[in-house]
Amino acid sequence: GGGGGGGGGGGAAAGGRDYYGGAVAPPPRVPVSQQRTAFRNLPKMCTFWLSGTCTRVLRGTCPYRPCNGQFVFPELPGNTDEGRALVDLLRAKGAAKAQKEVDPSTVEKLRDAIKGNKAEAIKARVLGKDDLSERYAKRMQERLPDAPRDDSVRTLWIGGVPADATEADVRSAVYVHGDVASVHVARESRSAFVEFTTREQAEQAARQLAGTAVVRGRTLRVAWAQPREGPAETA
């Protein structure tokens, strides 16, 4: 049997649960001071374990993850099948045996994380080019209100306006997204109508306000106002 991460070993997260939500017992050789530690203070990953060649785990003397019994991997996205599979393997086989059986793609991701690619990931997040940012942008795109075909419509309907909100409150929430011509608050329906100076300004505001407009701490709904109907045509 391998030392370090035996079948009874578990993650070090507080409350007896590992990073992926499974109930586990605290690892036998991990100091109490390390059992409730921030991820940035966790022991480093064992690079020899990632290569499948750690010999200290066989003697139970390796201080690095997961050889030391800490089955916690902030390098992998939480609540994923991949992360849970790794933890399950470590629990079942122990760190010594698991180093020979861990999925190669998981090893590659862990290697990338500890080689400095995390800095690149942070840069991508800042630039909005990572997977999470792209998914968020897609959701925002799906929530954009459809622009009416009538190009003369320049007014947005704002829903969910607090009862005590003023026209100034609404204007302050939207003016940075386009040139506002007028604001009307309909208190009885908890809504507001914001007219912009041009159709282009209204479309820009619609894109930028969808899912982000807030007045007095309340997130608002944004849609296009219904075009005004002209006099009925006669046959």
Side-chain angles (χ1 to χ4, degrees):
R17 304 190 73 81
D18 65 29
Y19 183 60
Y20 298 92
V24 294
R29 296 192 322 284
V30 178
V32 173
S33 61
Q34 294 181 11
Q35 291 180 15
R36 300 191 180 195
T37 183
F39 286 152
R40 65 179 178 275
N41 294 328
L42 283 169
K44 296 179 180 179
M45 282 291 303
C46 177
T47 55
F48 289 104
W49 185 89
L50 290 173
S51 301
T53 59
C54 182
T55 56
R56 288 195 292 178
V57 68
L58 301 174
R59 302 189 298 270
T61 59
C62 181
Y64 303 116
R65 288 182 295 132
C67 303
N68 68 349
Q70 285 184 290
F71 303 161
V72 183
F73 304 97
E75 297 87 355
L76 297 174
N79 298 320
T80 62
D81 291 340
E82 185 174 54
R84 285 190 290 268
L86 175 58
V87 172
D88 289 344
L89 174 65
L90 286 162
R91 289 188 198 145
K93 299 294 184 67
K97 291 183 178 179
Q99 68 177 331
K100 300 292 187 180
E101 300 180 25
V102 63
D103 188 279
S105 65
T106 301
V107 171
E108 183 178 357
K109 289 183 179 180
L110 290 169
R111 285 184 182 278
D112 287 343
I114 65 178
K115 282 182 179 178
N117 285 8
K118 188 174 293 184
E120 291 299 321
I122 293 173
K123 181 179 178 181
R125 171 68 57 82
V126 171
L127 296 177
K129 296 180 178 179
D130 66 316
D131 290 343
L132 181 61
S133 297
E134 290 177 356
R135 288 198 300 270
Y136 179 78
K138 183 179 180 181
R139 287 199 301 269
M140 288 298 100
Q141 185 68 31
E142 292 172 349
R143 294 169 63 179
L144 286 178
D146 293 331
R149 294 182 179 180
D150 185 350
D151 290 338
S152 67
V153 177
R154 299 173 295 160
T155 303
L156 297 181
W157 173 85
I158 311 294
V161 177
D164 57 348
T166 64
E167 291 183 0
D169 291 328
V170 176
R171 185 182 292 269
S172 66
V174 303
Y175 83 95
V176 296
H177 302 290
D179 296 330
V180 177
S182 65
V183 175
H184 172 68
V185 175
R187 298 187 185 282
E188 65 279 1
S189 61
R190 300 287 182 88
S191 62
F193 295 88
V194 181
E195 182 182 4
F196 292 85
T197 56
T198 66
R199 173 58 176 258
E200 290 75 16
Q201 292 288 317
E203 291 181 356
Q204 172 181 292
R207 289 192 300 270
Q208 297 177 355
L209 289 170
T212 65
V214 175
V215 167
R216 297 198 176 189
R218 180 173 297 178
T219 301
L220 308 177
R221 302 186 301 277
V222 178
W224 285 91
Q226 295 296 321
R228 296 176 181 176
E229 295 183 1
E233 295 183 358
T234 58

